[in-house]
Amino acid sequence: MDYSNLSVSDFIKESKKGNIDIDDFHSVFFKKAEEIQKRYNHFITISKKEAKDSITKLDRKSTLAGLPISVKDNICTRGIQSTAGSKILENYIPPFDATSVSHGKEAGGIIVGKTVQDEFGFGTFSTNSAFGIPKNPIDPERSCGGSSGGAGGFTRAIDMPHIALGESTGGSISCPASFCGVVGLTPTYGRVSRYGLIDYANSLDKIGPMAKTVKDSALMLSIISGNDPLDQTSIQQKAEDFTRYCGKDIKGMKIGIPKEYFKGIDKDVEKTVRSAISKLEELGAKTVDISLPTTDYAIPSYYIIATVEASTNLAKYCGMRYGAQDEIKGYFNEYFSGIRGKYLGEEAKRRIILGTYARMAGYRDQYYLKALKVRTLIIEDFRKAFRKVDVLAAPTMPIIAPKFTDIEKLTPVENYAMDNLTVGPNLAGIPMISVPCGTSQNMPIGLHLLGDHLKEGNIIQTADAFERM
Ligand code: GLN
C-alpha cells in the first residue's frame, strides 16, 4: 500500500480502527528510511529489529497507535546504542529509557532509530558529528542545521507519518527546523524531563518535538511533558493537551517585533519574515515594536555558560565506567588524557578547554559569574517584553541553510555568531517554535515565535493559525 500522503492524524485514526496493516506500514517505512539513509545520512542507528519487537506488543487503541518516532542520539533508548554523536560513547547501549522515550513508547510510539547530531550538541550545522554529516534533503550540498540535524533532515525527507524527538541547548531544535522547512517546538525549560538525556549543559538542555505540522508537534509535546521525580529540575506541571490550541483564531493576539532580531539578517530572510508578520496581522493579531537591549550579549554569555557546564559534564568520559576504554597503562591522568585525546572531536576539546578556563580560580569572576549576571539581564528583557505582548516574532536563523563549502570557511567565532537569534531565548528558558514561512533560492526560511514561560499555548496557537493560512 502507498502511505505517502497520510497525515499523522489520519494514520492514528485509521490505525486505531484497524484499517492499517501495521507490519506492512513499518516495512514500507523502513525501506524508505534506509533509502534516505543512503543518500543523506540522517541516522546513526536504524532500530528495525527493536521496532519489530515493539510492534508485536502494540496496543492499537493507544494515543499514537504505532506511529514511527525517531530519537536524537543523545536521548537514551533502552537496548539501542546512544552515542550523542561522539566516538567516546560508541557502543554505549543504555539499560534504560529516557523519560521522554518511555512516555512516547507508553503512548504507542514505535522507536525507529537514533538521529545524527553534532557531538554532544556542540554545533550549528551537524558538521561536528563523529558518525558522518547529515545532508539537507532539499539540497544535499547544504547543511540540515544543528545540532539536531538528522532529526530535521529526516522529518523533511520521509513522506510518511513520523515525529522526531530533538533536543535544544542553544537553538538545536529551531535551527534544523528552519533549515529543513519543518516545525520545531522547544518547550519551557523543565517542562519535559531531562532524565536520560546525555547532558550538554544542564541549565539549558530541553527535549522537544520536530514534525511536519504544528499540530503534530503539539501532540508530541502533550505526550512527553509533565513532572518527573527523576529530574530535579522538572517543573510541577501536569501534562496537558496542547493540541487544543490548534484550530483557533488569533484575533487580538499581541505580537512583539524585537528590532534587534532584524539586524545583520540576510535580505531575503528579512523580507520573507516581515511578510509572514503582515499575514499574522491579516489574521487579526496586533503587532508592537519591542526592544531586547541585551541581545548583543547573548552569544558571549551563552558560550561561556554552556562551555562551563559542558566541561564539567564531560569529565565523566574518562574511559572508566562506560564508553571508550583502552588498556590501562601509566598513571591515571595519562590514561584519562589518552582516552579523551583519542575519542573526543576537535570542537568538544575546544569547548572543554574554553569552559575549564572560564571557571578556573582567578577567571571565574571575570567570565563565568559575569555571564550568569548577563543571563539574568536577558531574562529580565524577555520578562519586560511579555508584560506588553503575548508572543515575539522574528527570523529563526539569520540565513538559509548554508553550503558545506561555505561552512568550512567559518572561524569558530563566526560559527558561534550564527546562533545570535536562538541563544537568548534558550538562556531565558522560554518556549519557542519555528514554523516554515517561505523560501529563498528554493531553501526554507523559519518564522520564530517566542512565548513567555509555560505559555506554549500562545505560540502553538499563533503558529498553527499561520500554518493553516
Ligand atoms: N549551536 C549551539 C551550540 O553549539 C546550540 C546547539 C544546541 O542547542 N545543542 O552550542
Side-chain angles (χ1 to χ4, degrees), residues 136 138 142-144 156 173-184 212 261-262 265-277 279 393-402 421 433-449 466-467:
N136 197 309
I138 308 165
R142 293 177 189 266
S143 166
C144 289
R156 174 67 192 228
I173 292 177
S174 295
C175 163
S178 170
F179 286 176
C180 297
V182 299
V183 176
K212 284 231 171 72
Y261 279 40
F262 288 83
I265 300 300
D266 170 271
K267 286 286 153 271
D268 274 356
V269 172
E270 169 159 12
K271 211 171 86 201
T272 309
V273 170
R274 290 214 189 267
S275 107
I277 292 169
K279 296 213 174 88
T396 306
M397 293 299 289
I399 50 170
I400 54 167
L421 308 178
I433 192 165
S434 180
V435 61
C437 68
T439 57
S440 159
Q441 298 170 56
N442 202 34
M443 296 307 292
I445 293 168
L447 167 69
H448 215 197
L449 300 169
F466 176 75
E467 182 187 73

Side-chain angles (χ1 to χ4, degrees), residues 72 74 117-118 120-125 128 146-148 167-173 175 200 204-206 302-303 306-307 347 351 397 415-416 418-419 422-423 426:
K72 184 175 179 178
N74 60 356
Q117 61 167 100
D118 287 295
F120 292 106
F122 302 153
T124 307
F125 304 113
N128 300 324
S147 63
S148 315
E167 177 276 336
S168 170
T169 305
S172 281
I173 292 177
C175 163
Y200 165 174
L204 290 151
D205 298 343
K206 300 156 294 279
Y302 169 81
Y303 273 97
T307 56
E347 185 60 24
R351 293 192 187 207
M397 293 299 289
N415 196 321
Y416 296 170
M418 296 291 169
D419 300 335
T422 55
V423 291
N426 274 276

Side-chain angles (χ1 to χ4, degrees), residues 341-392:
K342 187 163 152 194
Y343 294 101
L344 290 174
E346 187 186 40
E347 185 60 24
K349 288 176 191 160
R350 178 180 292 118
R351 293 192 187 207
I352 290 172
I353 293 169
L354 245 167
T356 307
Y357 181 83
R359 66 184 161 86
M360 251 162 61
Y363 297 105
R364 193 181 145 84
D365 291 7
Q366 249 182 79
Y367 294 108
Y368 181 52
L369 297 184
K370 198 179 246 174
L372 288 179
K373 287 178 189 159
V374 172
R375 183 180 196 174
T376 305
L377 296 176
I378 291 170
I379 295 170
E380 199 45 47
D381 262 6
F382 282 108
R383 200 166 272 159
K384 273 190 207 140
F386 288 119
R387 272 185 218 129
K388 293 187 209 137
V389 297
D390 305 305
V391 169
L392 293 168

Side-chain angles (χ1 to χ4, degrees), residues 16-35:
K16 279 187 179 174
K17 285 194 213 145
N19 292 344
I20 286 175
D21 176 343
I22 204 80
D23 292 312
D24 180 61
F25 173 86
H26 276 272
S27 79
V28 175
F29 187 91
F30 278 110
K31 202 162 155 258
K32 288 193 174 178
E34 278 157 359
E35 276 161 21

